[in-house]
Amino acid sequence: MTRYLWRAAAGHLRGGFALLALSALGVALGVGAVLSIRLLNQGALGAFAGTVRAVSGEASLEVVGTSPSFPEELFPAILAEPGVTAAVPLTRTEAAVEGARPPLFLEVLGVDLFAPARLPFEGKELPVAAALSEPGWVAVGPELARERGWRVGDRIAVSSGSRRVTLVVGGLVDFRRLSPLASRRLAVMDIAQAQSLFGLAGRLHEVDLVLEKGASPAEVASRLSRRLGPSVRVLSPEQRVSEASGLLAAFRLNLTALSLVSLLVGGFLVYGSTQAALVRRREEMGLLRSVGATRAQVLALLLLEAALLGAAGTAVGIPLGWLAARLELRNVSGTVENLYLLEGIEKVSLGAGEVAVAAGLGLLGAVLGALLPALEVARRDPRSLLASLTLEERTSRSAAPLLGLAVALVPAALGAYAVLSPRHPWAGFVLALAATLALPLAAPCLVRSLSRLPGPRRFSAGYGARTLPLHLTSSAVAVGALAVAVAMLTGVTVMVESFRDTVVDWLDATIRADVYVTTPTWSRARGEATLSPEVLRRMAATSGAVRVDVVRQTFARVRGRRVSVLGVPAGAPGAEGRVRVLGGGAGAVFGRLASRGEALVSEPLARKAGLWPGDSVRIEGPRGEAAVPVAGVYYDYGSEAGTVMLDLATFARIFGAGGPSNAALFLAPGVAVEPAVGRLRAELADEAVVVRSNRGLRAEVLAIFEQTFAVTRLLRVMGLVIAVSGVLLTLLVAARERRAETALYRALGATRLQAFLVFAGKGLGISLLGTLLGFAGGAALAGILVRVVNRDFFGWTLELHWPLSALALQALAIVAAGLLASLYPAVRASDAPATELSRDAL
Amino acid sequence: MTAPVLAMERVSKVYRLPGGASYAALREVTAVVGPGRAVAITGRSGSGKSTLLHLASGIDRPTSGEVHLLGRDLGALGDRERTLLRRSSVGLVFQFFHLLPHLSVLDNVLVPSLIAGLDPRGEERRARALLERVGLGPRARQPVQELSGGEMQRVAICRALLREPRLLLADEPTGNLDEENGLKVMELLLALAREKGAALVYVTHSRELAALADESWSLHSGVLETAPGGRAAARERTSR
Amino acid sequence: MRSSLPLVLAAALAGQGAQGPSWTAAAPGYPWSFPRDHSSHPGYRNEWWYFTGIVESEPPGRRFAYQLTFFRVGLVPGTPPFASAWAAGSLLMAHAATTDLESGEHRFSEALYRAAPLLAGFGAPGDPLLADCPGPPGTGGRWEARLEGGRFRLSMQDRRQGMALALDLVADGVPVLEGPGGLSRKSAREGFASLYYSLPRLATRGTLTVDGKEWPVRGVSWMDKEFGSSQLAPDQAGWDWFALRLSDGRDLMLYLLRRRDGTPDLQAGTLVDRSGRPTYLGEGDFRVRATGRWRSPATGAEYPAGWQVEVPAAGISLRVRPWVADQENRGGRGPHYWEGAVEVQGPLGPSGEGFVELTGYGEGNRPPI
């Protein structure tokens, strides 16, 4: 049988190259979508994990600061702890390289160069004297040095907070030798220099511990935790990575869900094309069976063919996925950095494991997709295979039960959601999946309903569309695939637009001051990047200034989550305008921040941690846990992990004194904003600060937003390409399958144009039905994504906005694309000469 | 003598085979079919019978020579004009009936008018009359798949006659039927052609059926020999 | 992690070049003054306090040898001017060893830290603290050498090795300057020298913990103190050093420097008579001949083991024999060397006991000073 496969293969290739190529493309796109997302997902975590591995690779435990630094006086106690064989103290500073476009942050590790740290310096001898005593001495990564053209001896101007620092490149340190995914931005300097230059005297961020053989990390960790108190946490590197992966979980799952939809559409295409190809080849199978091939042999033959097709598709899909991942790298990396404040992704690497997963998916998808139709054919006896049209009849008969199944999915999914949602935030995806699955199930009935339309008056496009039910299987598959893609497209478009509109409204309501001043490193370092008092003084003194509000920010843990904590001047006039509170009444609620020292929690935190007015939010600060009553919940779209807002006094009580992260300037009425921004920039020229107008800040927030959702663009395009290929595939199959029929029409006097139009009509019919069904599904999906998934999963309440003109344009584009995809098959079909009308049956 | 319905002059059809060889399906065929005449073509498989029908209907074009259909030189017409001429003037009947399985009996008969862009409802009366004529009137709304072979071919004959063609071409119309049914269908075809005044050219393997024609042509390796058919002889016998 | 530290250390030490411009060179005419000179001399690049001794438990009379050494390794002169408690110009390296002379068990422990307030440091003159640092990570306790009320107080502990020292050494007698004016030349070439003095006989008592068992002990220790900015010349590989207390009350210190090719380079020594008067021995004044070899199974280094020592003019002819063959100090963070108690037999004269130090044996093991 295998021999038969090879002999017949050449014939199949010649006979239906375009068809095979398209089926393979379906596999390729599905595999590509999944692979690219997997690579990006992995990269998103890999960058963080790689850096942890490179810096703390040998460490069994890490002592990290709660806030996020801790007093260095704890170090000798850490060093003396039984079980510890090496302790490496570290400071970490995100230093913004001045003038770098796009922004570049060095991750400067201040390390005790004489602690037993594994520092992969390049070159034979480290110039220790220079490292210890030459101010600003730093070793940078060779890749970054090459990129920026830095040589030993070069000076680099950087900033941390509003503090400016000049570093001197003294050597190269290549952490990628230790862990290939480590950040190329890692730089090393002696800890004394780092503390001194970045204003960290007396503070450490981390101590990496190597333990004795046989020492239990858990025991040492718990002893150390007890001994050292609340200003530090003692974690294993795995715990740190898993905390990061917890942070990213929602983001990653979201991407995965989107990529799985692509796979679903791809697998569906395989199913459809196999089904269609088998309709075409049933006589061949009948013949094989009648000359003695067993059912198992026929099944094996078909599945082997499918596997080969899958292999071909995978071979194309893997480079495709890799390419797509590379194209989307910057956007995903930006999201990881901006939204999750983790290492950005610098590269994706295609490991053997990923290739194996992709190949497995491609092959398995192709075989699974082919399984049902192949079983169907294998089950039949040779006589019924040789008889015409039996396969089609079956689908036609199963159309109604399939629709019933689609309808039954609704209560089933709702039931599952009701059961799952209290415990699993991803339960909303069940609804989304059901909505998506219902579409292909409803497709056969929808296509069949065409035959109930009144008979066409002319032998043209309308006739073609009306005869779609004649090849119900393939047309329903195409309609279903297109509908899934359109639904996905519509759902995601509506969600993104709704999100954007919500964010715009939120920005309008909450960005009130005229000028915002922060530091280049604020977005990455938060509480560690502070404005000097001098900056605040000059802001207050600038002409037209009415008031300067400052905000302090840091990270703290709340119920095991790393959340952002904000200290605001809650008592300042009009301060309540800063937030919109769930249930309204910002004024009263906000007043309690200042008067009673209570807290506001952001909606995501409230939903995920279950913190509502009346509860207490327990903030793990450097002085221990502080329980702050929750005054209210406010809308916030800036942090997925959540934010706690406190009055500055409460903030200082928990976290101690410190500088503000950013400051807002209110101008007197009538003072022009942009000139004031210009003046302030000039006045603060010697400080490392970023001065933005109200408008500038909004633009920036929206740019970050765009970047976050950019990755969905890729998926949308991929889904569309898959769906349009589906249309093309179906029609090509139909063109071939209906060759005799077309020849008959031609013989009976149909012109070539008529034959073409009949086929184009089929394409149009599929596109229209698919789009129609897709939009119905898309509306449902949009509702689910906006109302359920975003609320449950991210904790965001979004307003549903329908971007009607964009959707109309999309619909037009899809129908046009579908029509375009039908042109070639239609030409092929109209080429069928009447002489083809052999003695075959129709 | 009135103008012939079909006239072929020195018509040859050569197929190029892969590898540069060529194969002549028809060689220098010259023949004329007068209005209302019934012609039977016999010959072995591969002798060029079907090719001849394809050329006659304008489905295919000769390698050399001229084919005149109703006085128009098919060689001078483009695909579209040939198609339109075929649509209005030629009816085709096939060995395997070639009915559209998804349509009812009536709708199958109506396909040519649909293709011609005529409102099928306007044609329905004539289609029903034809079906009555072949004895399938009560079954007009049935799916064709429920018919027997002989019935199917009658539907196909109705379809071929719907547009009242001047020339009816039938490629082994009884080839897929048993002897008894074959004879009935053939007689019906001849009778209907005569009733509608259409010339009929049909291909058959059966000497008996060939004998029913006005003239009988035989093809041997693409070369045509003509002879008065059995029916002409019979007619002569009866007229005597 | 560990693997790269010796590299950093070696770089730190060797990479500076022999003539750091602002280190003070050991030169003749140094104005000695005690107890001031027991404290550190940060102007010189390297400095060490070396305590070795042989003690005996108060009954039942078990004998042990011990070593406790603090090294100051200068990296840059002075302390870099950074607003950080970690700012440091030097490192502190400390070595401790105990040998049970009955069982032959030798234990070694080491610590290395930057000299910064949170970790390690050296006291200024007037400060009773001479040197201190935390013990090896995870072992707890601090290692210290103090000078209080005319006594050196030494302490160290390493729980992991089951060893600890807490000893008082009575610092009586005048320090012996090891070389004319205390200048000890290490090479025929100019500039390779150190300032060097010893206290050869310090009455010692306290406790010593070996294998987790604490012993009250008493005995005699030898204190060596050396500081300088460049000791070993580039072509020298290491040295053999002898500190022997003879039964007739004389003390003999000898050192022999070897070239990288193994041939002897410079040798010198000091013979101190019972009244504490030194006689400086030069090239032709004594002979040392190795009578045996010992190969370390752990490092593969081959050391001399057993010597014939002759100082003809002083009537000294000694057979020197390691008490225990394996007294090699092997740490992860520096070169390995042999430092151990020896027995001295003088069939034709006085016998005695002492310590021998053998450095620069084995591949790539040159002391970076």
Side-chain angles (χ1 to χ4, degrees):
Chain A
M1 216 50 191
T2 325
R3 237 174 265 158
Y4 171 80
L5 172 75
W6 295 121
R7 292 208 184 151
H12 288 317
L13 257 181
R14 266 198 308 280
F17 181 74
L19 197 143
L20 287 174
L22 269 171
S23 319
L25 188 69
V27 177
L29 289 173
V31 166
V34 172
L35 180 66
S36 66
I37 293 303
R38 278 188 67 92
L39 288 178
L40 287 170
N41 266 347
Q42 216 178 39
L45 197 59
F48 182 81
T51 301
V52 168
R53 246 195 319 278
V55 176
S56 320
E58 282 196 343
S60 322
L61 287 177
E62 296 174 29
V63 178
V64 294
T66 316
S67 73
S69 66
F70 60 92
E72 66 189 9
E73 284 73 27
L74 296 181
F75 182 72
I78 297 169
L79 188 68
E81 183 64 33
V84 170
T85 58
V88 181
L90 291 174
T91 66
R92 290 174 178 269
T93 306
E94 291 276 352
V97 175
E98 294 203 353
R101 285 281 163 271
L104 172 67
F105 297 91
L106 285 182
E107 192 178 341
V108 183
L109 300 176
V111 185
D112 176 0
L113 291 178
F114 302 100
R118 184 177 59 163
L119 298 171
F121 289 114
E122 302 222 314
K124 248 169 90 180
E125 283 178 355
L126 181 71
V128 172
L132 282 184
S133 59
E134 190 185 309
W137 188 99
V138 70
V140 296
E143 250 170 84
L144 191 64
R146 251 197 317 281
E147 223 170 87
R148 315 273 324 167
W150 289 337
R151 289 163 182 284
V152 169
D154 283 0
R155 293 176 172 273
I156 315 170
V158 301
S159 67
S160 163
S162 59
R163 175 190 290 259
R164 286 210 150 118
V165 173
T166 302
L167 301 179
V168 180
V169 178
L172 297 176
V173 62
D174 189 3
F175 281 99
R176 291 202 166 162
R177 286 210 315 247
L178 303 180
S179 168
L181 287 177
S183 173
R184 75 194 202 297
R185 303 181 297 105
L186 282 170
V188 170
M189 64 196 308
D190 187 55
I191 190 168
Q193 296 235 33
Q195 282 192 336
S196 170
L197 292 173
F198 297 118
L200 294 167
R203 312 294 293 176
L204 297 177
H205 287 114
E206 184 177 323
V207 177
D208 287 351
L209 302 179
V210 180
L211 300 188
E212 232 170 83
K213 261 190 217 127
S216 146
E219 273 171 34
V220 176
S222 82
R223 274 204 312 269
L224 267 176
S225 290
R226 270 199 312 276
R227 194 181 311 255
L228 300 175
S231 66
V232 296
R233 299 197 303 135
V234 186
L235 304 171
S236 66
E238 296 74 28
Q239 271 174 309
R240 276 191 72 189
V241 172
S242 89
E243 280 193 0
S245 101
L247 275 178
L248 278 176
F251 175 69
R252 283 163 29 113
L253 186 69
N254 202 22
L255 286 181
T256 305
L258 286 172
S259 77
L260 286 179
V261 173
S262 304
L263 189 70
L264 193 73
V265 178
F268 203 57
L269 266 187
V270 173
Y271 165 77
S273 63
T274 313
Q275 181 84 302
L278 287 182
V279 168
R280 180 167 61 86
R281 289 174 56 197
R282 64 174 183 272
E283 281 171 34
E284 179 192 343
M285 295 304 132
L287 206 66
L288 286 174
R289 291 276 283 120
S290 60
V291 299
T294 63
R295 287 175 205 279
Q297 277 178 316
V298 166
L299 184 66
L301 174 76
L302 293 175
L303 293 185
L304 194 57
E305 280 183 8
L308 285 175
L309 197 75
T314 305
V316 178
I318 288 174
L320 202 68
W322 190 74
L323 207 68
R326 287 189 49 113
L327 285 176
E328 287 296 324
L329 185 69
R330 181 168 295 216
N331 286 321
V332 174
S333 171
T335 304
V336 171
E337 284 181 33
N338 292 322
L339 217 55
Y340 298 94
L341 302 172
L342 291 170
E343 288 297 324
I345 315 169
E346 285 167 358
K347 56 180 182 183
V348 288
S349 62
L350 186 60
E354 286 310 309
V355 171
V357 167
L361 272 181
L363 290 178
L364 199 71
V367 169
L368 279 182
L371 189 61
L372 274 180
L375 273 173
E376 173 80 29
V377 163
R379 253 195 4 221
R380 293 184 164 272
D381 56 66
R383 204 169 51 83
S384 80
L385 282 172
L386 288 168
S388 53
L389 284 166
T390 40
L391 280 174
E392 288 295 352
E393 274 175 342
R394 288 187 65 85
T395 321
S396 171
R397 256 187 270 125
S398 57
L402 285 179
L403 182 68
L405 195 61
V407 172
L409 263 180
V410 175
L414 285 174
Y417 175 75
V419 171
L420 290 172
S421 65
R423 268 171 299 132
H424 303 289
W426 47 260
F429 283 114
V430 173
L431 290 181
L433 186 70
T436 314
L437 276 180
L439 299 179
L441 291 176
C445 243
L446 186 68
V447 173
R448 212 178 50 167
S449 69
L450 281 178
S451 62
R452 288 200 213 102
L453 295 176
R457 308 273 182 90
R458 302 217 333 253
F459 188 71
S460 183
Y463 181 85
R466 198 181 173 282
T467 50
L468 276 176
L470 300 182
H471 29 108
L472 187 57
T473 309
S474 55
S475 22
V477 165
V479 167
L482 186 61
V484 169
V486 169
M488 186 170 86
L489 196 62
T490 309
V492 172
T493 303
V494 171
M495 181 193 78
V496 171
E497 290 302 316
S498 299
F499 208 146
R500 187 214 308 278
D501 282 3
T502 308
V503 167
V504 167
D505 289 351
W506 170 66
L507 290 177
D508 283 345
T510 55
I511 299 194
R512 290 285 185 84
D514 298 299
V515 184
Y516 289 86
V517 175
T518 185
T519 64
T521 46
W522 167 78
S523 67
R524 299 197 52 79
R526 296 283 154 102
E528 300 249 294
T530 56
L531 293 167
S532 68
E534 178 61 18
V535 171
L536 301 178
R537 203 188 55 71
R538 286 193 218 165
M539 278 177 75
T542 195
S543 68
V546 172
R547 195 175 92 224
V548 175
D549 272 4
V550 297
V551 171
R552 285 186 65 191
Q553 253 193 314
T554 190
F555 290 109
R557 299 182 60 79
V558 167
R559 299 206 174 168
R561 292 160 206 277
R562 185 182 74 158
V563 305
S564 182
V565 183
L566 226 60
V568 302
E576 70 278 2
R578 187 180 288 280
V579 296
R580 288 195 304 166
V581 172
L582 261 75
V589 171
F590 216 81
R592 283 156 59 184
L593 260 60
S595 62
R596 297 199 218 161
E598 296 189 350
L600 278 178
V601 296
S602 73
E603 189 191 3
L605 181 61
R607 291 198 187 282
K608 287 188 222 174
L611 285 167
W612 300 99
D615 296 336
S616 268
V617 51
R618 306 178 80 82
I619 303 167
E620 294 170 32
R623 301 169 183 180
E625 209 172 57
V628 185
V630 175
V633 176
Y634 70 105
Y635 291 104
D636 177 73
Y637 303 93
S639 155
E640 193 215 305
T643 307
V644 177
M645 190 184 280
L646 304 170
D647 183 44
L648 278 170
T650 318
F651 189 98
R653 184 164 58 79
I654 298 172
F655 296 100
S661 317
N662 35 53
L665 177 66
F666 291 84
L667 293 171
V671 177
V673 174
E674 294 301 336
V677 167
R679 275 200 309 279
L680 206 53
R681 277 194 186 132
E683 283 163 22
L684 296 172
D686 55 335
E687 301 271 353
V689 291
V690 182
V691 183
R692 294 187 190 86
S693 65
N694 181 312
R695 221 175 45 202
L697 181 63
R698 284 171 45 117
E700 213 156 306
V701 172
L702 284 177
I704 290 176
F705 174 86
E706 295 294 338
Q707 195 181 39
T708 305
F709 285 99
V711 67
T712 60
R713 221 171 25 215
L714 169 84
L715 290 165
R716 286 189 262 173
V717 169
M718 270 199 164
L720 195 62
V721 169
I722 291 176
V724 169
S725 337
V727 175
L728 181 57
L729 182 72
T730 308
L731 292 177
L732 270 181
V733 171
R736 168 170 275 278
E737 204 183 307
R738 302 281 130 184
R739 215 168 154 77
E741 187 182 327
T742 310
L744 173 69
Y745 293 137
R746 294 276 285 134
L748 295 179
T751 60
R752 192 181 286 246
L753 180 65
Q754 280 179 313
F756 173 83
L757 287 176
V758 164
F759 254 84
K762 288 183 197 288
L764 193 65
I766 292 176
S767 307
L768 280 173
L769 285 183
T771 309
L772 201 71
L773 190 60
F775 267 89
L781 206 57
I784 294 166
L785 287 176
V786 170
R787 291 289 191 202
V788 181
V789 171
N790 264 290
R791 196 199 55 207
D792 292 1
F793 212 76
F794 300 105
W796 282 315
T797 297
L798 304 182
E799 292 304 315
L800 199 52
H801 288 258
W802 298 95
L804 291 178
S805 60
L807 290 180
L809 209 67
Q810 248 172 31
L812 216 62
I814 295 160
V815 173
L819 199 57
L820 217 63
S822 66
L823 291 186
Y824 173 66
V827 168
R828 285 278 302 266
S830 68
D831 268 350
T835 47
E836 281 278 314
L837 201 58
S838 59
R839 289 185 173 79
D840 285 349
L842 273 180
Chain B
M1 194 178 165
T2 48
V5 176
L6 176 72
M8 302 178 107
E9 197 172 338
R10 299 167 66 84
V11 169
S12 297
K13 180 69 185 180
V14 180
Y15 292 106
R16 304 237 166 265
L17 300 176
S22 61
Y23 157 71
L26 289 179
R27 301 166 200 254
E28 306 267 326
V29 168
T30 298
V32 172
V33 177
R37 299 282 288 175
V39 177
I41 305 177
T42 57
R44 290 187 187 157
S45 296
S47 60
K49 305 185 297 287
S50 293
T51 304
L52 195 142
L53 290 194
H54 284 158
L55 294 176
S57 62
I59 283 173
D60 209 350
R61 308 172 82 164
T63 314
S64 65
E66 291 181 3
V67 178
H68 292 262
L69 183 60
L70 298 173
R72 298 180 71 181
D73 179 2
L74 290 183
L77 301 179
D79 176 76
R80 180 178 163 77
E81 288 159 307
R82 276 188 283 127
T83 303
L84 293 180
L85 186 60
R86 175 165 70 246
R87 181 193 283 181
S88 59
S89 313
V90 181
L92 291 167
V93 178
F94 312 96
Q95 176 182 359
F96 288 96
F97 329 136
H98 290 326
L99 296 179
L100 294 167
H102 49 280
L103 297 182
S104 67
V105 167
L106 181 65
D107 285 341
N108 260 291
V109 176
L110 283 170
V111 164
S113 63
L114 186 72
I115 289 174
L118 301 170
D119 187 344
R121 278 167 291 185
E123 304 271 300
E124 208 178 299
R125 199 182 44 78
R126 268 187 316 121
R128 283 189 182 279
L130 280 169
L131 286 170
E132 290 293 342
R133 172 68 186 79
V134 301
L136 289 172
R139 311 187 67 172
R141 283 294 168 198
Q142 275 188 5
V144 287
Q145 281 158 293
E146 294 172 6
L147 302 185
S148 71
E151 288 166 336
M152 283 193 191
Q153 195 59 302
R154 284 181 220 184
V155 175
I157 290 168
C158 293
R159 179 175 68 188
L161 286 167
L162 183 74
R163 308 282 337 274
E164 301 186 333
R166 299 284 305 277
L167 175 63
L168 210 49
L169 300 172
D171 194 353
E172 298 202 38
T174 63
N176 220 23
L177 303 174
D178 59 50
E179 205 172 319
E180 188 190 339
N181 260 314
L183 187 63
K184 280 187 191 160
V185 164
M186 200 60 234
E187 279 171 348
L188 186 64
L189 185 59
L190 283 162
L192 278 169
R194 203 159 45 233
E195 282 168 26
K196 305 286 177 189
L200 169 66
V201 178
Y202 65 96
V203 170
T204 182
H205 284 293
S206 154
R207 228 175 266 174
E208 195 184 338
L209 295 183
L212 299 173
D214 295 326
E215 41 191 294
S216 174
W217 303 347
S218 65
L219 271 167
H220 298 285
S221 307
V223 178
L224 185 73
E225 291 167 16
T226 61
R231 191 169 72 162
R235 210 158 37 209
E236 273 157 32
R237 273 199 301 277
T238 41
S239 63
R240 243 184 280 152
Chain C
M1 272 193 161
R2 315 224 120 200
S3 58
S4 69
L5 192 95
L7 184 94
V8 172
L9 187 62
L13 300 167
Q16 309 307 308
Q19 44 285 108
S22 18
W23 297 112
T24 310
Y30 181 82
W32 292 100
S33 156
F34 294 93
R36 185 199 69 191
D37 280 319
H38 289 318
S39 294
S40 76
H41 300 77
Y44 295 82
R45 196 159 76 104
N46 303 315
E47 182 161 11
W48 62 62
W49 293 255
Y50 235 112
F51 298 91
T52 52
I54 295 172
V55 294
E56 190 169 354
S57 69
E58 299 183 61
R62 197 172 175 114
R63 284 161 75 85
F64 302 95
Y66 84 91
Q67 172 204 351
L68 180 65
T69 314
F70 291 92
F71 300 87
R72 186 176 55 77
V73 181
L75 301 169
V76 287
T79 300
F82 296 128
S84 165
W86 299 81
S90 54
L91 299 178
L92 184 149
M93 189 163 74
H95 287 180
T98 56
T99 310
D100 182 336
L101 298 181
E102 311 284 298
S103 70
E105 180 82 17
H106 179 79
R107 290 290 175 90
F108 174 71
S109 175
E110 66 183 332
L112 185 143
Y113 297 99
R114 59 165 65 208
L118 278 171
L119 296 170
F122 304 94
D127 186 342
L129 182 75
L130 297 177
D132 82 325
C133 69
T139 62
R142 295 187 70 81
W143 293 16
E144 281 184 342
R146 309 174 70 84
L147 179 60
E148 275 173 346
R151 287 163 188 269
F152 291 110
R153 292 178 186 279
L154 309 182
S155 61
M156 67 72 59
Q157 63 163 315
D158 179 342
R159 286 195 294 248
R160 208 173 288 129
Q161 295 280 359
M163 61 192 277
L165 297 173
L167 298 172
D168 271 16
L169 286 58
V170 179
D172 59 355
V174 181
V176 177
L177 298 181
E178 302 281 15
L183 189 73
S184 170
R185 294 194 177 277
K186 305 298 186 194
S187 168
R189 290 160 62 182
E190 208 50 48
F192 295 96
S194 66
L195 293 161
Y196 181 7
Y197 68 86
S198 308
L199 290 163
R201 288 177 192 255
L202 301 170
T204 302
R205 67 186 304 166
T207 60
L208 197 116
T209 305
V210 176
D211 243 345
K213 185 170 178 357
E214 189 183 88
W215 302 83
V217 292
R218 57 171 61 210
V220 184
S221 301
W222 179 304
M223 186 262 197
D224 251 5
K225 168 76 176 290
E226 226 174 319
F227 52 98
S229 296
S230 49
Q231 276 103 312
L232 216 50
D235 61 336
Q236 291 171 337
W239 61 81
D240 299 352
W241 171 87
F242 298 80
L244 310 174
R245 285 185 293 271
L246 304 183
S247 52
D248 60 5
R250 290 186 294 177
D251 303 311
L252 181 62
M253 187 283 292
L254 302 171
Y255 60 87
L256 301 89
L257 289 146
R258 294 187 318 283
R259 296 200 187 90
R260 284 170 188 263
D261 60 10
T263 56
D265 187 9
L266 177 142
Q267 66 177 44
T270 308
L271 178 64
V272 185
D273 68 16
R274 293 163 73 160
S275 63
R277 219 179 20 251
T279 307
Y280 299 115
L281 307 176
E283 206 65 48
D285 298 335
F286 66 94
R287 283 196 305 279
V288 175
R289 184 172 58 82
T291 54
R293 316 283 303 165
W294 176 77
R295 180 183 289 275
S296 161
T299 63
E302 195 178 67
Y303 298 92
W307 300 264
Q308 187 65 41
V309 174
E310 313 275 353
V311 187
I316 291 175
S317 170
L318 305 170
R319 242 193 354 245
V320 178
R321 204 167 54 76
W323 221 300
V324 171
D326 183 359
Q327 299 185 72
E328 188 185 40
N329 286 345
R330 296 179 289 266
R333 309 189 65 177
H336 56 83
Y337 60 102
W338 195 96
E339 176 98 32
V342 291
E343 232 178 340
V344 177
Q345 285 166 336
L348 305 172
S351 58
E353 60 179 23
F355 255 75
V356 168
E357 176 177 88
L358 307 167
T359 69
Y361 290 94
E363 281 303 304
N365 205 29
R366 183 177 179 270
I369 58 167

